[in-house]
Amino acid sequence: MTTLEDIRLLVERGFYEEALEKITELPRSVDQVEALGYLALALSEGGEVDWIPEVISDSTYIADRIKDPAERAIAYAIIGSTLSILEYGEDSVEMFSRALDQAERIKEPVEKGRVLSRLAYRLAISGHSDTAIELFNTAFDTMIGAEVKYTEKVDGIIGMGELMEKAGDVLPARKAMRFYTMAFDIFDKLHVNQRAAIVEKKMELCRTVMDVGLPEVRTALLEGRNHYALALIERKYRGVMRLLGELEVAMWMKRVNDREYLDVVERAFEKPGELRLTESSIQRIAAILTRLGSLNRALEFTSMITDARQKSEALKAIALELAKRREFEEAFELAKDIPDEGIRDETITELTAMSGARGEV
C-alpha cells in the first residue's frame, strides 16, 4: 500500500509525475491533500511553477468532497498553509477561513480542540504566529471546558503540546520560543517529565543561538553535529551575524561540556571580515565573550559601548567573571572604572563578598 512517506520520497527525488500518479492510491483524502502540498512546494522550489495551479486545484477538489467536518477542516488548513508558503496570501486566508468554518461544525469539544490545534499548527508554520497562538489558546479552552473523562481531556491537551513543540521545531529561534514555552508549560503541569525536559533543552538552545537559530542549525546542535552547524552559519551569514553565530555555537558547546568551544572562539576571530557593528551587536558580542571567558576580547568590545548604563553592566559582568577566577585585584581595578555610580557600588559590594575582604577599595 502506498504511504505518505512513499510520496514524500518520490517528491524529494524529483519524480513528480510518478508521485502525482501514486497520490490517488493513498487511502485517506487528507493524506492526498498533504501529498499534493509537498508536490506544490517542491515544484515551486524547482522553478516548475506551471504545474502549481493544477496541483492546488486538485487538492481543493479533494478537500471539497470530504464529508467529515474535522477531516475537511484539516485538509483546508493544509491547503491554506501551502498557499501561504507559496505567497498566495488572499487565497491562503480564504482556505484558513474555510477550515475554521468547518471546525465550528464539530460538536464534540475534545475533537474540536484537537482540530483547532491542527489548524493552529498550520498557521504557525505558515508564518502567522500571533494568530496561531490565539487559536492554540482557543483549542485549550475548548478542551479544558469539555465535560468528558479527565484522561480524554488530558490526552487532547498533551497532543496540543506536541503540536506546539512541532511548530517550534520548524521556526526560527525567536518565534520558536513562544511555542516551546507554551508546550513546556503543558508538559510540566501534566507531569510529562521526559517531554518537558526535551522542550526545556530546546528552549535553552533557542536562548543561546537567538541570532542565528534557524531550525536546521538548532537540529544540528541538538544532535551534536557542531561542525555542520558552523558550516551552515558560514554559508548563510556574513560579517557581524557570522561572528555572532559562531560565538553562539561556541557558547552552546561550552554548555554541553565540549572543550572544543575554545578553538571555535579563536577561529571566529581569525577571518572576521568587515564588521558593521551596531550598539546592540557590540553589547551582544561583549556579553557572549564574557560568558565564554574570553575577557580581554570582551573588554575590547565593552570599550566600544556608548550607553553608560549598558557599558557599566558589561564591565560588572567582566569584573565578576574575574572574581570567579579569584583574580580579585584585577576585578576591583576594573570595578573602579564603571561609569554608573550605582552599578559601580553594587559591583564592589559583590566583589567584596566574593573575596571575603572588608572595607572599601
Side-chain angles (χ1 to χ4, degrees):
M1 182 179 69
T2 301
T3 66
L4 195 55
E5 185 61 27
D6 295 333
I7 304 297
R8 192 201 301 267
L9 289 172
L10 287 172
V11 170
E12 287 178 355
R13 293 168 182 169
F15 300 135
Y16 301 141
E17 291 187 15
E18 187 176 345
L20 192 58
E21 289 172 4
K22 285 190 170 292
I23 282 172
T24 57
E25 298 175 11
L26 293 170
R28 296 178 65 236
S29 297
V30 169
D31 288 344
Q32 292 179 17
V33 170
E34 189 163 356
L36 287 166
Y38 295 155
L39 180 57
L41 295 175
L43 289 168
S44 176
E45 290 176 9
E48 300 184 42
V49 296
D50 292 343
W51 277 27
I52 293 176
E54 182 181 346
V55 171
I56 296 298
S57 178
D58 287 348
S59 60
T60 305
Y61 175 78
I62 294 169
D64 287 342
R65 291 170 63 85
I66 297 173
K67 290 184 171 56
D68 177 57
E71 294 277 291
R72 190 187 288 187
I74 293 167
Y76 283 146
I78 292 169
I79 299 169
S81 175
T82 302
L83 287 167
S84 180
I85 295 168
L86 293 172
E87 299 184 353
Y88 292 96
E90 291 184 9
D91 293 333
S92 171
V93 170
E94 169 63 23
M95 280 297 167
F96 277 120
S97 179
R98 288 196 203 181
L100 288 168
D101 288 344
Q102 290 299 314
E104 287 302 316
R105 295 175 57 195
I106 301 169
K107 302 300 182 185
E108 203 282 306
V110 172
E111 176 65 13
K112 183 176 182 178
R114 290 180 193 273
V115 171
L116 289 174
S117 297
R118 296 278 294 274
L119 270 55
Y121 165 74
R122 288 288 167 178
L123 282 163
I125 65 173
S126 303
H128 305 291
S129 294
D130 291 340
T131 307
I133 297 265
E134 290 176 12
L135 197 54
F136 270 128
N137 285 328
T138 300
F140 179 84
D141 292 342
T142 301
M143 286 190 277
I144 206 71
E147 295 181 0
V148 297
K149 291 180 180 178
Y150 177 75
T151 53
E152 185 180 347
K153 193 182 298 190
V154 166
D155 286 345
I157 293 171
I158 290 174
M160 182 174 66
E162 290 170 349
L163 284 170
M164 290 172 175
E165 180 187 354
K166 189 177 175 183
D169 289 343
V170 297
L171 294 171
R174 292 184 190 279
K175 291 184 177 181
M177 273 298 293
R178 300 175 68 186
F179 295 97
Y180 285 150
T181 301
M182 293 172 72
F184 175 78
D185 193 47
I186 286 172
F187 296 141
D188 185 51
K189 283 184 169 56
L190 294 177
H191 305 292
V192 189
N193 297 329
Q194 185 176 8
R195 199 76 250 158
I198 291 170
V199 175
E200 189 172 29
K201 185 174 183 180
K202 290 179 179 181
M203 291 166 65
E204 180 60 29
L205 177 56
C206 280
R207 284 190 284 266
T208 304
V209 296
M210 190 64 75
D211 292 289
V212 294
L214 297 174
E216 56 267 40
V217 171
R218 301 200 320 268
T219 297
L221 291 173
L222 282 172
E223 294 174 352
R225 295 182 295 132
N226 302 323
H227 290 290
Y228 180 65
L230 288 165
L232 284 173
I233 289 167
E234 187 173 354
R235 187 161 73 239
K236 292 177 179 291
Y237 297 101
R238 293 289 181 273
V240 174
M241 289 302 294
R242 184 196 61 76
L243 176 61
L244 269 171
E246 292 177 347
L247 293 177
E248 287 178 346
V249 169
M251 194 158 52
W252 178 255
M253 292 170 67
K254 182 182 180 183
R255 183 191 177 282
V256 297
N257 298 317
D258 185 337
R259 294 287 296 173
E260 200 177 347
Y261 81 88
L262 295 167
D263 296 331
V264 173
V265 175
E266 290 304 314
R267 286 197 295 269
F269 286 96
E270 284 177 2
K271 297 179 181 179
E274 183 181 355
L275 299 179
R276 296 181 180 178
L277 296 164
T278 63
E279 180 76 359
S280 61
S281 65
I282 292 169
Q283 292 173 19
R284 174 74 171 150
I285 292 169
I288 294 174
L289 288 169
T290 301
R291 290 173 63 184
L292 286 168
S294 184
L295 302 187
N296 289 333
R297 286 198 177 104
L299 273 171
E300 289 177 22
F301 281 91
T302 299
S303 69
M304 304 179 200
I305 299 174
T306 57
D307 182 279
R309 185 167 184 81
Q310 293 296 330
K311 175 176 281 192
S312 298
E313 292 286 1
L315 288 169
K316 176 183 178 180
I318 297 170
L320 294 178
E321 192 63 33
L322 284 167
K324 289 176 185 176
R325 300 179 179 184
R326 308 197 65 77
E327 297 176 15
F328 293 111
E329 184 177 347
E330 294 87 343
F332 279 114
E333 283 298 316
L334 185 61
K336 290 192 294 185
D337 293 331
I338 294 175
D340 184 285
E341 183 179 357
I343 296 173
R344 182 169 64 248
D345 291 345
E346 287 175 8
T347 306
I348 291 173
T349 299
E350 290 186 42
L351 291 174
T352 301
M354 291 173 75
S355 66
R358 297 185 180 274
E360 295 182 355
V361 177

